[in-house]
Amino acid sequence: MVKKEPTIPEAIESDSIELADPVEPTAVTVPAPAASSHPTRDFLINLVIIVGLSALTAAGVQRLMPATLETPSRAPALLMVDTERLAREAIDALGDLVAQNKLPSEEMPERSRRFSDGLLREIQAYAARGHVVLRSAAVLAAPAEVRDITDEVREQLLQQGLMDRKPETRREGY
């Protein structure tokens, strides 16, 4: 490939260039808005349009916002349990079993500890499901929505073998 040197253009003759005539700016007039012959009517029409658009916007927000932006925030359910009654029932049942020679007295402390651990686990299981569990002895008054779960917890402890029923001879309190 042969490399070519750039060439310098020949001189341009000034006679061959034509100059354009200068442009003069023209005055542009913008027509003023026509004065309304009914300013009250125009105001009312504008007001109706604004109120209508506002109502449509509000209806749309109410319809769409809960589905799109609202996060579910549910207060935890309040529950209460009578731990003192459950402990008293467990100790009474163990005492009756010892008195009837159905349980050696040496096993009573270990069975009491297992009962206490099981009771705490049951209460913590309710908390893990999003509930607040209150001791019923500390609750002075509560609305009907605050459910007493003492019987449910008792049944769970009985099913797990962590609590004994009182023998049939002394069955008051159940």
Side-chain angles (χ1 to χ4, degrees):
M1 204 183 328
V2 179
K3 191 173 182 183
K4 292 186 178 179
E5 291 291 323
T7 59
I8 300 175
E10 297 177 19
I12 300 175
E13 295 180 20
S14 62
D15 294 338
S16 62
I17 299 176
E18 291 184 22
L19 296 174
D21 295 330
V23 177
E24 292 186 26
T26 58
V28 177
T29 58
V30 177
S36 174
S37 61
H38 302 286
T40 306
R41 183 187 63 167
D42 293 344
F43 171 76
L44 290 176
I45 289 173
N46 288 336
L47 183 64
V48 167
I49 291 171
I50 290 172
V51 168
L53 289 174
S54 298
L56 285 174
T57 303
V61 166
Q62 285 180 342
R63 173 92 171 137
L64 299 176
M65 287 297 261
T68 57
L69 297 179
E70 199 173 273
T71 57
S73 62
R74 188 178 60 104
L78 295 176
L79 304 173
M80 62 182 165
V81 64
D82 191 345
T83 55
E84 288 83 2
R85 187 173 78 195
L86 290 174
R88 188 174 46 253
E89 290 172 8
I91 295 301
D92 286 350
L94 288 175
D96 286 350
L97 290 173
V98 169
Q100 294 175 358
N101 291 324
K102 294 182 179 178
L103 178 71
S105 61
E106 297 82 29
E107 286 186 31
M108 199 166 171
E110 175 60 24
R111 303 248 331 237
S112 295
R113 186 193 59 74
R114 286 192 355 229
F115 164 78
S116 297
D117 291 346
L119 178 60
L120 288 175
R121 269 195 312 276
E122 285 301 312
I123 291 170
Q124 289 169 346
Y126 280 97
R129 291 189 298 258
H131 301 288
V132 174
V133 182
L134 307 169
R135 269 186 40 222
S136 62
V139 176
L140 297 177
E145 297 86 37
V146 179
R147 188 168 49 106
D148 186 344
I149 58 168
T150 304
D151 294 335
E152 296 171 27
V153 171
R154 178 189 302 109
E155 289 304 314
Q156 288 295 321
L157 294 171
L158 287 168
Q159 287 177 6
Q160 296 170 19
L162 299 173
M163 183 176 175
D164 294 298
R165 289 196 190 272
K166 292 178 80 171
E168 295 296 323
T169 56
R170 285 182 45 201
R171 203 145 154 100
E172 70 248 20
Y174 279 98

